[in-house]
Amino acid sequence: MQNPFITTFSKNPETSYIYTEKTNGILSDFSYENPSDSVYKITGVRGSGKTVILAKIEEELRKEEMSKKGWLVFDINPTRDFLNQIASMLVEEGFGKNRSKNKSFNVSASVLGTGAGIGISSDDAFFDIGVEIEAMLKQVQKKNMKVLIGIDEVSKTKEMIQFASEFGKWLRANYPVYLVCTGLYENIMEVSNVKNLTFFRRAVTVQTEPLNEVRMSEMYRRLLSIDLQEAKKLAKTTKGYAYAFQELGSLYFKKKKEENLEDLIPALKSELFAYSYVKIWEEFTDADRFLVKLLTKKVEYKREEVLKLMGEKSGNYSMYRDRLLKRGIIKSRQAYISFTLPFFADYIKEYC
């Protein structure tokens, strides 16, 4: 039997995928004739399933049933020119006219955040690509169709700002365009704070959440052919962290007969540390590092305990805590805080 668990980042786990309420909520909204929200920003810590949520939304809207309802799904590469990609995809779907191969795209923007100067030039013609796309979107609208644009891992790049500026115009013109994008909290915030991108700042932000323990347990029991008690132990070990869920499942699937769960923990920690936590740590600010280093002695800390540990910096507690909450590093339970990631305190103690 093939290993059903996927440990490659950004790859959609077909047989071991667990639906979350976040995915269902967005799909439910899009199922209406006129969805209440046109833009969703999915954010969360690395390995928490942002890309999988986006992939599942795209997959569902590509199905024949949704295609018959007029949905077109465009998956955009964030490292290339967004507008050129969208124009090409619209042409592929039969909107607009194919351009001769000798025409070359000429993209320029003197000021970051403007959509000016974006065009295509040839020997005998010049036109603005934004205008071209709008003309095609009018045709999409006439055919009662909708366009979903999916972007994985957005950041504040020239291409992203140019696209967002144009997308805001499309929304104001009431074209049937929808956007679902993913990104780390700090990257999403950088784009949100760009001047004149009010629609993006006000768009719904969806934060990934821990996987449901019951659903994880049932998945482990079914795919690994183990009893419920053992499956529950595995699920609890992962703390609902999507990458840990896949990695532990894969390790258990490949384990030797004489090995048990405890024997797999060192290998699980090694994978989490090397492929996820080291990158998370690199992206921390000094303030982030200061606070998380204080939280490694116990599983949970009361607010008063943390304030005492912070000493003269205790006045910054709320600011430091809120940042880590929004990034998905810690969770808050009444007056207590704790790490959301399994063995993250061990990583800090051993490698930081």
Side-chain angles (χ1 to χ4, degrees), residues 15-68:
T15 56
S16 55
Y17 170 72
I18 295 178
Y19 265 100
T20 70
E21 298 309 315
K22 307 296 186 181
T23 309
N24 294 339
I26 297 173
L27 286 171
S28 176
D29 190 23
F30 283 175
S31 68
Y32 294 106
E33 188 63 31
N34 293 299
S36 58
D37 292 293
S38 300
V39 181
Y40 284 90
K41 302 174 292 188
I42 304 171
T43 185
V45 68
R46 289 183 182 276
S48 61
K50 302 185 299 295
T51 300
V52 174
I53 292 175
L54 172 60
K56 275 298 174 182
I57 291 168
E58 292 178 335
E59 179 184 306
E60 290 297 316
L61 295 182
R62 281 192 177 107
K63 287 183 177 179
E64 184 178 357
E65 177 187 355
M66 299 307 288
S67 181
K68 287 180 179 178

Side-chain angles (χ1 to χ4, degrees), residues 86-103:
I86 294 169
S88 297
M89 292 173 181
L90 285 167
V91 169
E92 281 292 316
E93 294 292 341
F95 301 98
K97 298 179 180 179
N98 284 295
R99 300 292 172 182
S100 61
K101 293 182 179 180
N102 66 340
K103 290 180 172 61

Side-chain angles (χ1 to χ4, degrees), residues 76-301:
I76 301 300
N77 183 335
T79 65
R80 293 164 46 206
D81 187 278
F82 290 35
L83 299 178
N84 288 355
Q85 292 180 72
I86 294 169
S88 297
M89 292 173 181
L90 285 167
V91 169
E92 281 292 316
E93 294 292 341
F95 301 98
K97 298 179 180 179
N98 284 295
R99 300 292 172 182
S100 61
K101 293 182 179 180
N102 66 340
K103 290 180 172 61
S104 60
F105 286 90
N106 179 21
V107 181
S108 64
S110 58
V111 180
L112 186 64
T114 69
I118 306 171
I120 304 176
S121 60
S122 69
D123 294 337
D124 59 355
F126 174 85
F127 65 92
D128 185 283
I129 193 169
V131 174
E132 290 287 314
I133 292 176
E134 284 197 57
M136 289 187 276
L137 290 177
K138 287 179 182 178
Q139 296 179 44
V140 172
Q141 191 173 43
K142 287 180 181 179
K143 291 189 176 183
N144 293 317
M145 301 181 77
K146 303 173 183 177
V147 176
L148 171 71
I149 298 171
I151 309 171
D152 192 25
E153 294 297 343
V154 302
S155 58
K156 187 183 173 183
T157 62
K158 179 183 71 175
E159 291 78 13
M160 178 62 195
I161 304 306
Q162 290 173 341
F163 158 73
S165 297
E166 292 292 330
F167 192 90
K169 287 171 57 182
W170 303 340
L171 287 179
R172 292 192 297 274
N174 204 32
Y175 294 130
V177 289
Y178 302 84
L179 171 65
V180 178
C181 61
T182 75
L184 298 176
Y185 169 74
E186 57 270 30
N187 292 340
I188 290 285
M189 288 305 298
E190 274 196 330
V191 179
S192 299
N193 290 330
V194 172
K195 187 178 179 180
N196 298 327
L197 294 187
T198 306
F199 85 90
F200 195 82
R201 182 165 55 253
R202 294 180 179 175
V204 179
T205 299
V206 174
Q207 187 170 24
T208 54
E209 58 190 9
L211 298 177
N212 181 275
E213 192 167 314
V214 173
R215 291 176 181 172
M216 285 192 293
S217 300
E218 289 299 323
M219 187 70 75
Y220 279 143
R221 179 165 70 166
R222 179 172 63 85
L223 295 180
L224 298 173
S225 300
I226 57 179
D227 63 53
L228 180 59
Q229 290 306 312
E230 182 75 352
K232 288 166 70 175
K233 288 180 183 177
L234 266 69
K236 190 166 185 175
T237 299
T238 70
K239 298 181 76 170
Y241 181 42
Y243 179 51
F245 166 73
Q246 296 291 338
E247 188 62 55
L248 183 56
S250 178
L251 290 169
Y252 202 97
F253 180 85
K254 296 183 290 185
K255 79 177 184 66
K256 299 174 183 177
K257 287 186 178 181
E258 64 273 16
E259 290 181 314
N260 56 34
L261 175 58
E262 289 303 314
D263 296 323
L264 303 179
I265 297 303
L268 173 63
K269 290 170 67 174
S270 177
E271 295 300 309
L272 293 175
F273 292 2
Y275 296 105
S276 180
Y277 296 173
V278 66
K279 190 64 177 176
I280 291 173
W281 180 262
E282 287 175 358
E283 293 164 345
F284 275 171
T285 64
D286 289 341
D288 295 332
R289 293 176 180 179
F290 169 75
L291 182 54
V292 297
K293 282 182 177 180
L294 301 178
L295 307 178
T296 60
K297 302 294 183 182
K298 300 195 307 178
V299 173
E300 219 174 27
Y301 282 83

